[in-house]
């Protein structure tokens, strides 16, 4: 079984060195040949994988110990316990809670059947990504079935396969070992069909449809047929294949005659400096999607309503309400202030709930400063015993059951205060004075639907 290989002490010192300039010098001092530098890259990659294996072992040990302590303390609901463990791992690893859950399950499954895979991972022969791909493909198997898949993987040189080949191979082996589970998983997957929207750079977005195979192929074939129809029409072809397929998708889904004719309301965060100074380089910002030139949204023949929210020093300004829930314009202010993303550290999930930082059960009121946008998991997670949330001068601080604290500073757009040279008081980016207006968003527009804070 592979084990930890000896590590070059120089590399250990290199990793421990705090000065990045020294690190760069050691790798570019000319004492190593091209072949020597390639060897160092390879050794560092292996070292990185072995460190990931060591971290996985710590994750597994923490999960077992925390589960034992919380169970002894009376927390016996598996779902809440797993959520708490995954949340703490995510914060410690500076990743999203979904990724924290994946690392927790990978650490567990590696020690419940995947002995050969675990050995390769520990020896630095298999990356964390490839290891996670294997454990994810066998997540629904029991320990004995997982061990059989692990045994059959021994006949393949997994370490030299790409991620796609590994995924296909493990899925095929899992289907052979547990055919009934494979059929059940395939039937369940069809129920998970969905359409989602993901932000993309430069004012674009990715519309993703997760469909059964035959339906996805049929949709793509229909869009490809539109390209052929455009090629034989009498109109001159001025668009590329991808453009025609994208425009056809928009036209057929929305029912518009042409793609640019869509009617949409877009909420745009606009720096007040950009309104005062026409030459301001500060871009507008669509919460949840990123910066975009305002004139790009204003072009086209469709009816586009731009609802503007002004910012001061990059933060959206809001108001108060005495309602039990965050609704209407107040809810929109909170979502825009938090960038339409969960306000917990390292979490990038869309906002699903509007949470009271000081809970309503503790006489917290529905005001702007007491609200925060969070994903569903983090709203439920704070109700787990041992978790607490409070607002501080630095931002919203979360305390975990182990006593660790993590502070999420306010979300800001690209608009910020330039610190300037050392000793200066600073100014708004671009050298303009800090105007710091007192404007608030125009409450015009449809009211947003608030979600209950538990």
């Amino acid at each position: 079984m592979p084990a930890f290989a000896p590590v070059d002490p120089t590399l250990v010192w290199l990793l421990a060195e705090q000065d990045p300039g020294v690190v760069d010098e050691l790798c570019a001092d000319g004492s190593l040949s091209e072949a020597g530098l390639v060897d160092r890259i390879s050794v560092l990659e292996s070292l990185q994988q072995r460190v990931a294996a060591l971290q996985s072992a710590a994750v597994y040990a923490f999960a077992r110990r925390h589960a034992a302590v919380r169970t002894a303390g009376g927390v016996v609901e598996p779902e809440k316990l797993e959520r708490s463990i995954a949340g703490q791992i995510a914060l410690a690893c500076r990743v999203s809670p979904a990724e924290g859950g994946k690392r927790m399950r990978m650490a567990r499954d590696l020690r419940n059947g995947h002995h050969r895979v675990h050995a390769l991972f520990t020896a630095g022969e298999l990356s964390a990504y490839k290891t996670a791909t294997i454990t994810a493909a066998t997540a629904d198997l029991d320990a004995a079935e997982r061990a059989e898949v692990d045994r059959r993987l021994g006949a393949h040189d997994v370490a030299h396969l790409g991620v796609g080949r590994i995924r296909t191979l493990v899925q095929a082996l899992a289907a052979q070992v547990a055919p009934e589970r494979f059929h059940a998983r395939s039937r369940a997957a069809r129920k998970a069909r969905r359409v989602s929207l993901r932000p993309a750079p430069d004012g674009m977005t990715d519309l993703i449809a997760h469909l059964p195979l035959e339906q996805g192929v049929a949709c793509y074939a229909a869009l490809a047929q539109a390209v052929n129809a455009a090629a034989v029409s009498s109109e001159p072809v001025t668009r590329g294949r991808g453009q025609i397929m994208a425009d056809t998708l928009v036209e057929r889904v929305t029912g518009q005659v042409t793609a640019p004719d869509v009617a949409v309301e877009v909420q745009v965060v606009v720096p007040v400096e950009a309104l005062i100074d026409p030459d301001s380089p500060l871009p507008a910002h669509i919460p949840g999607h990123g910066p975009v030139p305002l004139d790009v949204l204003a072009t086209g023949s469709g009816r586009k309503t731009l609802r503007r929210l002004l910012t001061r020093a990059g933060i959206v300004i809001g108001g108060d309400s005495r309602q039990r829930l965050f609704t209407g314009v107040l809810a929109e202010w909170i979502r825009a202030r938090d960038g339409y993303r969960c306000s917990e550290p390292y979490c990038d999930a869309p906002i699903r709930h509007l949470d009271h930082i000081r809970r309503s059960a503790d006489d917290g009121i529905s005001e702007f400063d007491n609200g925060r946008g969070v994903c569903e998991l983090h709203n439920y997670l704070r109700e787990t015993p041992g978790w607490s949330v409070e607002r501080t001068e630095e931002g919203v601080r979360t305390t975990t059951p182990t006593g660790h604290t993590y502070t999420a500073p306010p979300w800001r757009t690209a608009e910020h205060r330039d610190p300037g040279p050392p000793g200066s008081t600073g100014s708004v980016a671009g050298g303009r004075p800090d105007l710091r207006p007192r404007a608030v968003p125009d409450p015009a527009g449809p009211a947003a639907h608030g979600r209950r804070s538990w």
Side-chain angles (χ1 to χ4, degrees):
M1 301 287 281
F4 280 98
V7 178
D8 183 353
T10 303
L11 295 179
V12 175
W13 181 86
L14 187 68
L15 293 173
E17 178 58 49
Q18 298 298 314
D19 185 355
V22 175
V23 173
D24 290 341
E25 286 180 18
L26 287 174
C27 291
D29 61 0
S31 61
L32 291 176
S33 63
E34 293 180 48
L37 286 171
V38 170
D39 290 339
R40 172 161 287 186
I41 292 171
S42 178
V43 171
L44 283 171
E45 179 64 23
S46 181
L47 178 61
Q48 177 176 294
Q49 293 165 9
R50 297 203 300 275
V51 170
L54 187 61
Q55 184 188 57
S56 179
V59 166
Y60 181 70
F62 165 74
R64 287 177 58 86
R65 186 167 303 178
H66 187 71
V69 171
R70 303 304 289 180
T71 301
V75 180
V76 294
E77 295 184 51
E79 184 179 349
K80 286 187 177 180
L81 190 56
E82 183 172 327
R83 186 187 300 152
S84 179
I85 293 172
Q88 292 178 79
I89 292 172
L91 288 170
C93 296
R94 303 178 182 89
V95 296
S96 70
E99 177 64 22
K102 290 178 182 178
R103 296 189 183 190
M104 176 190 66
R105 290 186 290 272
M106 183 186 81
R108 178 196 63 198
D109 293 348
L110 275 177
R111 292 156 180 83
N112 286 274
H114 281 303
H115 303 300
R116 288 178 175 81
V117 174
H118 183 205
L120 290 172
F121 184 34
T122 303
E125 296 293 326
L126 209 59
S127 69
Y129 187 31
K130 291 181 178 179
T131 304
T133 299
I134 294 173
T135 56
T138 58
D140 61 327
L141 305 185
D142 59 32
E145 293 166 339
R146 203 175 290 119
E148 178 59 21
V149 172
D150 185 75
R151 185 188 68 80
R152 298 189 184 193
L153 275 176
H156 302 270
D157 188 4
V158 182
H160 291 85
L161 296 180
V163 175
R165 291 180 183 272
I166 289 176
R167 182 183 294 107
T168 301
L169 173 61
V170 177
Q171 289 175 344
L173 292 177
Q176 297 171 21
V177 170
E180 292 184 359
R181 293 181 188 270
F182 172 68
H183 288 295
R185 187 170 62 248
S186 297
R187 289 191 295 269
R190 289 177 171 262
K191 296 180 181 179
R193 59 189 181 275
R194 61 190 179 276
V195 177
S196 59
L197 197 66
R198 294 183 182 177
D202 304 322
M204 303 294 286
T205 189
D206 294 326
L207 178 66
I208 303 170
H210 187 68
L211 303 172
L213 176 62
E214 70 281 2
Q215 295 179 15
V217 171
C219 290
Y220 191 86
L223 295 176
Q225 182 61 35
V227 178
N228 298 333
V232 299
S233 67
S234 58
E235 297 292 331
V237 179
T238 59
R239 299 172 295 169
R241 174 184 175 86
Q243 293 173 320
I244 295 175
M245 294 177 70
D247 292 347
T248 303
L249 173 64
V250 173
E251 292 161 4
R252 294 184 180 180
V253 171
T254 63
Q256 301 291 334
V257 177
T258 59
D261 289 338
V262 293
V264 64
E265 178 182 285
V266 179
Q267 182 169 268
V268 183
V269 176
V270 181
V272 70
E273 288 83 1
L275 298 181
I276 297 175
D277 182 3
D279 298 325
S280 170
L282 298 177
H285 195 99
I286 301 177
H289 290 269
V292 62
L294 195 57
D295 57 348
V296 171
L297 293 175
T299 58
S301 57
R303 178 178 59 83
K304 298 180 179 66
T305 303
L306 306 182
R307 186 147 59 95
R308 298 184 300 188
L309 299 180
L310 299 182
T311 64
R312 185 173 68 240
I315 302 178
V316 176
I317 308 163
D320 296 336
S321 170
R322 298 298 172 183
Q323 301 181 90
R324 167 64 180 79
L325 306 177
F326 295 105
T327 58
V329 176
L330 177 58
E332 282 301 298
W333 280 340
I334 294 174
R335 291 190 181 96
R337 180 200 60 194
D338 294 340
Y340 279 74
R341 297 286 180 182
C342 179
S343 57
E344 276 287 336
Y346 317 120
C347 185
D348 204 30
I351 289 177
R352 292 286 181 255
H353 292 184
L354 297 181
D355 179 38
H356 290 76
I357 296 174
R358 179 179 173 85
R359 299 181 303 179
S360 295
D362 300 325
D363 299 325
I365 60 178
S366 300
E367 63 180 1
F368 186 69
D369 288 339
N370 193 43
R372 64 168 187 160
V374 291
C375 63
E376 185 175 1
L377 184 146
H378 275 120
N379 194 21
Y380 295 147
L381 187 60
R382 68 161 299 180
E383 300 298 330
T384 305
W387 290 77
S388 64
V389 178
E390 62 180 331
R391 182 177 291 282
T392 66
E393 293 183 359
E394 294 78 21
V396 179
R397 181 168 60 200
T398 298
T399 303
T400 69
T402 58
H404 290 83
T405 59
Y406 303 86
T407 301
W411 175 85
R412 295 176 182 269
T413 65
E415 176 193 0
H416 65 282
R417 292 182 59 82
D418 184 358
S424 66
T425 58
S427 61
V428 173
R432 287 175 296 280
D434 185 2
L435 302 174
R436 306 180 78 76
R438 297 297 176 181
V440 297
D442 185 352
H449 297 287
R451 291 182 180 269
R452 180 174 182 177
S453 285
W454 298 94

